[in-house]
Amino acid sequence: MARRKIIAGNWKMNMTPSEAVALIEKLKPLVATENADVVFCVPAIDIIPAVEAVKGTNIGIGAENMYFEEKGAYTGEISPAMLTDAGVKYVIIGHSERREYFAETDETVNKKVLKAFEHGLTPIICCGESLTQREQGITIDWIRQQIKIAFLNVTAEQAGKAVIAYEPIWAIGTGKVATTEQAQEVCAAIRACIAEIYDDATAAAIRIQYGGSVSAASAPELFAQADIDGGLVGGASLKEDFGAIVNWQ
């Protein structure tokens, strides 16, 4: 069975609540499709108005982060129960910016992945290498380590429902895009790693996105690759271009 494409926008730290609603109203008709799952991952303060604004559409709302505890003295954090109660279906976990600026580690990513599954949230689990790592030829080793730790104690059934986003860090917001061959090579290696951890059926079910300066121009070729099941889109998800990415065929 062919995997259904999933195209998610990562808004990052952009859009006030009123701006978020205005953008959603503009994008709604442009991203209407039955051929892919469409997700807007929005800042925490935008979640409730965004969920309201997408009612009756094909758009799912995702969070950009969450904490791995149920509740407690964790000032500034958001729990999975808060997200599900607000109507969130997806959550980005372990984005390279979270790892770089907020000290996230492979171990905390794993804790968040487990907690997301516990609450019925679909994690979009990010992995990716730096330019130095690519130049030193350790890309695949690095990614495999990130994946193996992220999926520690995750069941095969859960893993099959996960989304993995491969984002070469050197291509995020730089305008540089990994070549189609580079993107496919790493996504194929990720799928092979999942097959090693679990089995071929789980590897065949899991959806793997490419992210990193995805545009309307690059999307069709990227999404045509055997192991690329959509995109995690940054800057372009805040523009009307996102409609062209979603309707890439």
Side-chain angles (χ1 to χ4, degrees):
M1 191 177 80
R3 289 179 299 274
R4 184 173 169 81
K5 292 280 193 278
I6 177 165
I7 299 157
N10 175 14
W11 287 16
K12 307 192 180 184
M13 196 177 74
N14 295 292
M15 299 288 143
T16 65
S18 58
E19 288 170 343
V21 171
L23 179 61
I24 288 169
E25 292 303 328
K26 189 189 289 185
L27 290 177
K28 275 200 285 203
L30 303 178
V31 302
T33 180
E34 293 179 0
N35 298 324
D37 291 335
V38 179
V39 185
F40 294 168
C41 295
V42 306
I45 199 167
D46 296 343
I47 286 171
I48 289 172
V51 167
E52 199 58 38
V54 302
K55 278 186 176 160
T57 75
N58 63 314
I59 302 163
I61 295 297
E64 297 180 15
N65 183 37
M66 62 165 226
Y67 200 51
F68 50 75
E69 297 290 354
E70 297 287 337
K71 57 185 171 184
Y74 306 105
T75 302
E77 292 296 328
I78 291 178
S79 75
M82 293 173 185
L83 296 180
T84 54
D85 191 65
V88 167
K89 296 186 168 58
Y90 299 85
V91 57
I92 297 174
I93 294 176
H95 191 278
S96 63
E97 291 157 2
R98 299 282 328 160
R99 294 176 192 253
E100 182 180 355
Y101 304 131
F102 305 105
E104 292 216 358
T105 65
D106 291 338
E107 288 73 22
T108 58
V109 166
N110 175 241
K111 287 181 179 182
K112 290 181 180 187
V113 168
L114 292 169
K115 192 55 76 170
F117 279 124
E118 210 176 292
H119 284 264
L121 289 160
T122 299
I124 299 174
I125 304 160
C126 298
C127 60
E129 83 284 10
S130 67
L131 189 57
T132 302
Q133 287 157 346
R134 177 159 281 277
E135 287 173 344
Q136 293 304 311
I138 62 167
T139 294
I140 302 297
D141 294 335
W142 181 262
I143 301 290
R144 282 171 57 85
Q145 176 177 307
Q146 288 183 315
I147 294 300
K148 287 194 170 190
I149 297 174
F151 281 85
L152 191 64
N153 298 321
V154 174
T155 67
E157 185 186 0
Q158 289 171 331
K161 295 172 184 167
V163 177
I164 296 173
Y166 165 56
E167 295 196 303
I169 298 167
W170 48 272
I172 298 174
T174 59
K176 292 181 183 174
V177 186
T179 66
T180 306
E181 292 73 25
Q182 286 172 326
Q184 164 59 21
E185 177 192 24
V186 178
C187 290
I190 291 168
R191 201 174 303 284
C193 185
I194 293 294
E196 277 177 38
I197 301 169
Y198 299 103
D199 50 44
D200 289 343
T202 306
I206 200 164
R207 294 188 288 179
I208 304 172
Q209 299 173 314
Y210 170 76
S213 301
V214 175
S215 66
S218 63
E221 194 178 337
L222 285 165
F223 296 173
Q225 301 308 301
D227 291 294
I228 299 178
D229 305 312
L232 183 59
V233 183
S237 70
L238 299 168
K239 304 171 188 165
E240 292 182 14
D241 282 10
F242 193 56
I245 295 171
V246 166
N247 294 284
W248 77 94
Q249 301 101 321

